[in-house]
Amino acid sequence: MKAALIDGKSFSQALRGRVSATVSGLSDRGIVPGLAVVLVGEDPASAVYVRNKGIQTREAGMVSFEHKLEASTGQDALMALIAKLNADPAVHGILVQLPLPGHLDAEAVINAIAPEKDVDGFTISNVGLL
């Protein structure tokens, strides 16, 4: 069997084009998808990822809600933010950037995300659907 070379850049551009077209179609019907990204702390790699996710989200025609929290943020405050994002009709997807600082219970945070808004698919119910 002959190996096939995949042009990742071309594939990525085509995929982004399809996403943008779908978002445009939704926008024509008054729906503007919103992605909320939560970053706790100052991890440099995570900050770059979150920044790029915001750029890509806006380029696709979606709304980007970026929540950058101090590393010292407590569990209760983070859970309250997740509850607020779950209840916000303008937020269609939630992504909590991992890893979280060690004093936070990442599993509890991830499982607090409404399964229908779980962008990463990490909630226990979404993992179970796999």
Side-chain angles (χ1 to χ4, degrees):
M1 176 155 93
K2 184 178 176 182
L5 181 62
I6 299 173
D7 180 352
K9 185 173 183 176
S10 175
F11 180 83
S12 173
Q13 289 173 337
L15 177 60
R16 289 178 194 205
R18 291 193 305 274
V19 169
S20 293
T22 300
V23 169
S24 178
L26 288 170
S27 296
D28 291 345
R29 296 187 288 156
I31 302 168
V32 180
L35 173 65
V37 179
V38 179
L39 173 64
V40 183
E42 302 283 332
D43 180 75
S46 292
V48 169
Y49 181 82
V50 166
R51 183 176 64 247
N52 289 336
K53 192 60 59 190
I55 291 167
Q56 293 167 0
T57 299
R58 289 185 294 277
E59 285 177 352
M62 297 183 240
V63 178
S64 177
F65 303 99
E66 296 175 17
H67 298 271
K68 297 178 182 176
L69 308 175
E70 297 292 325
S72 61
T73 298
Q75 187 79 23
D76 290 343
L78 182 53
M79 296 296 269
L81 174 59
I82 298 299
K84 179 182 166 190
L85 297 173
N86 281 337
D88 187 342
V91 174
H92 298 89
I94 302 169
L95 186 153
V96 175
Q97 181 62 39
L98 300 175
L100 292 173
H103 68 281
L104 296 172
D105 182 349
E107 186 175 344
V109 171
I110 296 302
N111 284 311
I113 299 170
E116 64 274 11
K117 293 188 177 190
D118 175 19
V119 171
D120 286 322
F122 288 163
T123 60
I124 192 73
S125 57
N126 285 334
V127 169
L129 290 172
L130 288 175

